[in-house]
Amino acid sequence: AWLCGHYAPRIFPGSSPGEDEAGRWARRLLETRTLVVLPAANAVGYHFARRGEGNVDPNRDFAFDTRPSECMRTIAARSIDTLFRQRMFALTVTFHGGDNLIAFPWGDTAHCPSYPADCSLRPQAGGLPAWVSADHSAMAALAMHAADFAGPQPGDMKPYRHGVLNDPKIIYPVGGGMEDWAYAASWSKSAVRCTPHGAPPAAPYADGTHRAAVLLVETSNVKTPPQNTLGRSEGVLPREGSDANAGLGHVTRNIRLALLAV
């Protein structure tokens, strides 16, 4: 909505006095990228105010590091699967609630078979922790800059902590997670061909899909933050000086984060 609002003068001449610097930036972002937005991927769970779709958690329903019979059972996972089969995403950002962090692959149990000890101590080639992916440096830089650009969390004013999903200081490993699936399902041995509800095995993923850099964002320690902590429109773009955090809130800082990702 923020991008479209600043883009409106380009589409509807005369709809505002003129295009400012933010408008020119918004126009460049929209005209040089393809953006795909799923406002509520778990629509069923959102409607009923619960985590699962039926008795299945969509956050554990993806074709990676799980049993073939235990993935792609939900509408949420299958909808995202269809999108990823149709195109190659360069970057994926997934927003959640319940913590204050930005994390990235690896986050599966195959790279962390005994949490938390093996996540930190089991080396792979080169002596690095087993959870360090081939694109670790790039995703780590993205997470660091995203945390800096987004700004602090309202209330305690703490910035997002950031790091690998499997790092015990950040979060924890899961099987069937969307993040590792989006990053590596087309090339990793941990990918599986799902057989939900006894269906025939799904078609294998093409080599040109599922290679996205992925950021998981836990937007707030509180799942439903108070209205007065959500922020105001003037907090969307970072400022300098004493009013640097004017209008900043949970919504505005994550609009900032999304803009950086774009």
Side-chain angles (χ1 to χ4, degrees):
W2 185 91
L3 279 174
C4 292
H6 284 275
Y7 190 62
R10 174 77 172 182
I11 305 172
F12 307 109
S15 60
S16 74
E19 188 178 54
D20 58 10
E21 184 177 355
R24 289 190 292 273
W25 184 45
R27 175 158 54 86
R28 181 178 182 275
L29 293 181
L30 287 172
E31 291 182 351
T32 59
R33 292 151 175 81
T34 297
L35 308 181
V36 178
V37 180
L38 276 72
N42 181 13
V44 175
Y46 180 81
H47 177 76
F48 290 105
R50 63 192 186 203
R51 181 183 177 97
E53 182 183 307
N55 61 353
V56 179
D57 183 353
N59 290 324
R60 308 290 184 269
D61 197 34
F62 288 84
F64 200 90
D65 186 34
T66 190
R67 295 185 180 91
S69 61
E70 296 181 0
C71 53
M72 296 301 164
R73 294 164 293 174
T74 61
I75 297 170
R78 293 199 300 273
S79 298
I80 297 171
D81 182 66
T82 298
L83 285 173
F84 271 77
R85 286 180 182 275
Q86 292 173 343
R87 66 201 72 211
M88 181 176 180
F89 290 99
L91 175 62
T92 299
V93 182
T94 172
F95 291 98
H96 301 257
D99 209 322
N100 182 45
L101 62 85
I102 302 173
F104 51 89
W106 294 116
D108 60 330
T109 63
H111 288 90
C112 182
S114 178
Y115 179 84
D118 281 359
C119 293
S120 299
L121 302 178
R122 187 169 64 92
Q124 59 185 15
L128 297 172
W131 38 254
V132 173
S133 72
D135 297 282
H136 174 89
S137 295
M139 288 190 281
L142 276 170
M144 179 185 68
H145 290 297
D148 181 61
F149 193 67
Q153 176 175 233
D156 61 18
M157 298 305 288
K158 291 182 179 179
Y160 282 123
R161 71 184 188 277
H162 49 88
V164 181
L165 285 156
N166 273 351
D167 186 339
K169 298 189 295 294
I170 303 300
I171 193 164
Y172 49 80
V174 301
M178 183 258 186
E179 291 74 29
D180 284 17
W181 169 85
Y183 170 58
S186 69
W187 55 271
S188 172
K189 293 180 180 179
S190 292
V192 300
R193 295 177 64 184
C194 299
T195 58
H197 311 298
Y205 294 118
D207 189 54
T209 64
H210 300 76
R211 293 173 178 267
V214 183
L215 298 181
L216 175 144
V217 183
E218 293 279 357
T219 61
S220 169
N221 296 114
V222 181
K223 294 264 186 179
T224 307
Q227 181 77 24
N228 63 359
T229 66
L230 301 183
R232 303 184 304 275
S233 58
E234 63 266 31
V236 171
L237 294 180
R239 301 165 181 260
E240 296 181 355
S242 59
D243 65 343
N245 293 317
L248 185 63
H250 291 293
V251 173
T252 49
R253 77 169 181 154
N254 288 299
I255 294 175
R256 287 185 185 185
L257 192 156
L259 287 171
L260 180 136
V262 173

